[in-house]
Amino acid sequence: MTDLTKGTAATGGPMVKAEQVHKSFGRTEVLKGIDLEVMPGEVMCVIGPSGSGKSTFLRCINHLEKINAGRLWVNGHLVGYRQVGEKLHELRDREVAAQRREIGMVFQRFNLFPHMTALENVMEAPCRVKRRPKGEARQQALALLDRVGLGDKAQSYPAQLSGGQQQRVAIARALAMEPALMLFDEPTSALDPELVGEVLEVMKQLAVDGMTMVVVTHEMGFAREVGDSLVFMDGGVIVEKGAPRDVLASPQHPRTQDFLSKVL
């Protein structure tokens, strides 16, 4: 479908590769040249103040936002475009949708279908998008709900579930498409504090299982314990990047120091 490029995940290259990614909304430049690589199996945590471009960058990775300049690859495929010679040609919606199947995304808000049970929410995409037989999709969905600790809630509707439980259903739903990459956009920020742990526990297990993850988060403990790399963004640029324990314990950049002094 899309041209394979140098440095594909299949050949040991990065799962995500960003080169000079720029994104503007009107006259406001939100991303000002992001260069980044995420290797297969890596858990990258992205931190920074509100408005720093973290969520926008995440949305660019799966082409929910179109970039204005630069290049983005996921699993060796150029995201949203086909390159012929030096020219970029935008992919059709159908082709973009096919690319997105490789990328699972979990949002702050759970976005579950309120009229469907937890089981039906998880089954929906495999049945509708992958044309998977219902019996097969049901079996997979039950296994995924079990995996996120909700095997006993398969027949519950979202309104009958706590926020933490809804977010775990959302994770199971994303996993149902068998993605190569999982994106998490502040997945615990809408939760009551006592429900945060149950969602982070599921994410920790995904990391143990080798899932490649990019996590925008305010949970510094999670970043320290689970992250392989930590990126601090501010003003649309990457200010500092390194091993989570190193960055959190002894940040090098004054802006990182200032931010962490307020959140740690």
Side-chain angles (χ1 to χ4, degrees):
M1 180 186 62
T2 49
D3 298 327
L4 282 174
T5 63
K6 58 183 187 286
T8 68
T11 56
M15 176 65 74
V16 179
K17 182 181 173 76
E19 281 185 0
Q20 281 301 296
V21 169
H22 289 256
K23 173 64 184 176
S24 297
F25 295 103
R27 293 184 178 180
T28 305
E29 194 177 15
V30 179
L31 299 176
K32 303 173 182 176
I34 301 293
D35 290 304
L36 199 65
E37 289 188 357
V38 184
M39 299 305 290
E42 180 179 348
V43 178
M44 175 178 284
C45 293
V46 185
I47 63 170
S50 295
S52 58
K54 311 181 300 293
S55 294
T56 298
F57 178 63
L58 213 61
R59 291 170 66 84
C60 288
I61 292 175
N62 68 353
H63 207 58
L64 286 175
E65 298 290 354
K66 296 179 183 179
I67 64 176
N68 298 114
R71 299 278 195 283
L72 254 173
W73 292 266
V74 171
N75 211 7
H77 298 284
L78 196 57
V79 174
Y81 300 91
R82 178 187 292 107
Q83 185 164 344
V84 181
E86 291 300 306
K87 286 194 172 181
L88 286 183
H89 301 270
E90 197 163 340
L91 296 179
R92 292 189 287 270
D93 289 347
R94 184 170 47 81
E95 295 173 302
V96 172
Q99 282 190 335
R100 282 203 193 110
R101 291 177 202 172
E102 287 202 323
I103 307 168
M105 187 155 185
V106 178
F107 300 87
Q108 296 176 33
R109 296 286 168 185
F110 327 121
N111 299 334
L112 298 178
F113 297 114
H115 62 289
M116 292 184 180
T117 63
L119 179 63
E120 289 165 341
N121 264 284
V122 179
M123 286 174 61
E124 178 71 2
C127 286
R128 192 176 287 256
V129 179
K130 286 193 165 183
R131 301 277 185 260
R132 191 163 279 176
K134 267 199 169 173
E136 189 184 312
R138 178 186 169 84
Q139 209 171 358
Q140 181 206 32
L142 287 169
L144 285 169
L145 287 171
D146 212 37
R147 186 175 174 187
V148 299
L150 292 173
D152 59 336
K153 300 290 185 183
Q155 300 306 325
S156 298
Y157 289 89
Q160 298 170 310
L161 301 173
S162 70
Q165 289 169 333
Q166 289 185 60
Q167 192 61 296
R168 285 187 280 155
V169 173
I171 292 172
R173 182 180 59 181
L175 291 173
M177 291 298 285
E178 299 171 332
L181 168 70
M182 283 285 281
L183 307 176
F184 292 87
D185 188 8
E186 298 186 21
T188 59
S189 66
L191 299 178
D192 292 333
E194 68 268 23
L195 302 176
V196 167
E198 64 192 54
V199 173
L200 294 180
E201 208 51 51
V202 170
M203 293 169 64
K204 286 177 191 175
Q205 193 53 54
L206 286 180
V208 169
D209 294 344
M211 174 63 74
T212 311
M213 295 156 62
V214 182
V215 185
V216 171
T217 186
H218 293 298
E219 302 293 337
M220 301 302 162
F222 175 84
R224 186 186 290 109
E225 183 185 344
V226 183
D228 297 301
S229 56
L230 183 68
V231 168
F232 172 66
M233 284 182 68
D234 189 33
V237 298
I238 292 173
V239 176
E240 190 162 343
K241 179 180 182 293
R245 289 173 188 270
D246 295 343
V247 175
L248 293 173
S250 53
Q252 300 301 301
H253 195 281
R255 184 65 192 95
T256 320
Q257 293 166 5
D258 179 57
F259 175 76
L260 290 174
S261 71
K262 291 169 181 164
V263 299
L264 288 178

